[in-house]
């Protein structure tokens, strides 16, 4: 309203422009992340943090999408979760993408569940929904760029098909595991296992490290007196 009060029509247009711009920024961001992952240029910045701090910001990010479909969240976090060594921004991206997919493929008024617990030396995270689910053929292609289970010109659900590809790439960088359990018409549960102590990025033992400088063979000194030896014979 800097230039004056907007009419209802202009306010609607401004809202559409804002929503479209936000959507395009998200698509561009996913394309950039995917290109960095495929080129091996996505660098993890690992540090210790409490897994609990991931949930609330991620739920807030997905909140508007959930409210539009009247989807509610249920969370179950184990008490006393250990500090995990990981890239916090990357972990947030993983959880946001999983939550967004769960909401998108949920039915109107559905429920999305999130759990976090310790499983040995791993952090165990699940995001489940009771939505449209997937068949075995679709599950086999999970993680492939641009793949969507509901594909084609008549598909009902928007998206680039990059979300789970990015999720899988980020989990792989952490040396973790992504598991999928789904049944068409019943729902989907995505399970993420992340190593609590972080990915193995330490150098090998010193004795196994190749020296920076190669050891050169001792130089062969030419005989300075070849002619004298010949004459002595």
């Amino acid at each position: 309203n800097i230039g004056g009060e907007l009419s209802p029509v202009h306010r609607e247009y401004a809202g559409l422009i804002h929503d479209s711009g936000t959507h395009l920024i998200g698509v561009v961001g996913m394309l950039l992340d995917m290109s960095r992952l495929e080129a091996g240029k996505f660098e993890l910045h690992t540090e210790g943090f409490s897994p609990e701090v991931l949930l609330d910001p991620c739920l807030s990010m997905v909140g508007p999408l959930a409210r539009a479909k009247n989807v509610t969240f249920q969370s179950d976090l184990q008490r006393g979760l250990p500090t995990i060594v990981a890239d916090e921004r990357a972990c947030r991206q993983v959880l946001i993408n999983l939550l967004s997919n769960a909401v998108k493929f949920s039915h109107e008024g559905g429920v999305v569940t999130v759990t976090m617990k310790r499983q040995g030396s791993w952090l165990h995270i699940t995001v489940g929904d009771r939505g449209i689910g997937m068949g075995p053929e679709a599950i086999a292609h999970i993680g492939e760029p641009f793949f969507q289970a509901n594909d084609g010109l008549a598909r009902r659900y928007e998206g680039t098909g990059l979300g789970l590809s990015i999720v899988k790439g980020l989990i792989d960088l952490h040396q973790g595991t992504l598991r999928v359990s789904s049944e068409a018409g019943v729902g989907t549960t995505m399970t993420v296992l992340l190593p609590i102590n972080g990915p193995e990025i330490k150098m090998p033992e010193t004795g196994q490290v190749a020296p920076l400088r190669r050891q050169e063979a001792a130089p062969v000194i030419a005989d300075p007196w070849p002619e004298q030896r010949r004459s002595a014979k």
Side-chain angles (χ1 to χ4, degrees):
N1 296 324
I2 294 176
E5 185 70 24
L6 293 177
S7 68
V9 174
H10 289 157
R11 188 179 295 277
E12 180 184 0
Y13 289 166
L16 291 173
I17 292 169
H18 177 270
D19 292 343
S20 298
T22 302
H23 174 71
L24 287 175
I25 288 174
V27 171
V28 170
M30 284 195 292
L31 287 170
L32 290 174
D33 281 345
M34 196 67 226
S35 64
R36 284 195 290 266
L37 286 167
E38 289 187 337
K41 300 296 185 182
F42 196 107
E43 296 183 4
L44 293 181
H45 300 282
T46 59
E47 59 181 355
F49 65 90
S50 177
E52 292 97 328
V53 304
L54 295 172
L55 189 57
D56 286 344
C58 294
L59 292 178
S60 297
M61 288 286 291
V62 186
L65 180 63
R67 288 191 290 272
K69 296 188 68 172
N70 195 29
V71 171
T72 57
F73 293 111
Q74 291 181 354
S75 59
D76 182 12
L77 274 64
Q78 185 182 60
R79 290 188 177 184
L81 284 173
T83 297
I84 183 173
V85 177
D87 186 318
E88 185 176 345
R89 186 188 74 86
C91 291
R92 281 202 309 270
Q93 188 65 53
V94 166
L95 192 52
I96 287 171
N97 285 4
L98 293 180
L99 288 170
S100 297
N101 268 12
V103 171
K104 181 167 64 173
F105 296 112
S106 288
H107 300 300
E108 184 77 20
V111 176
V112 171
T113 60
V114 187
T115 69
M116 285 189 191
K117 63 181 180 180
R118 179 171 188 166
Q119 183 175 319
S121 60
W122 303 86
L123 176 66
H124 182 282
I125 303 173
T126 64
V127 176
D129 65 71
R130 303 168 191 169
I132 63 172
M134 294 178 287
E137 301 84 2
I139 293 176
H141 292 282
I142 288 295
E144 295 181 6
F146 304 108
F147 172 77
Q148 285 194 317
N150 185 256
D151 211 345
L153 295 176
R155 72 185 189 187
R156 296 172 51 196
Y157 303 94
E158 295 183 357
T160 61
L162 288 175
L164 287 181
S165 301
I166 293 172
V167 165
K168 189 174 186 309
L170 294 176
I171 292 172
D172 286 346
L173 281 180
H174 283 86
Q175 298 175 358
T177 303
L178 175 65
R179 297 174 182 168
V180 184
S181 174
S182 187
E183 184 178 347
V186 177
T188 301
T189 298
M190 295 286 186
T191 301
V192 177
L193 293 173
L194 296 175
I196 291 174
N197 294 325
E200 181 58 58
I201 57 175
K202 297 178 181 178
M203 291 292 291
E205 294 298 326
T206 306
Q208 301 175 3
V209 178
L212 295 177
R213 295 182 180 178
R214 291 181 300 176
Q215 288 186 340
E216 298 181 359
V220 177
I221 302 175
D223 191 342
W225 311 108
E227 296 299 325
Q228 288 80 347
R229 283 220 301 259
R230 287 198 196 96
S231 58
K233 293 178 181 178

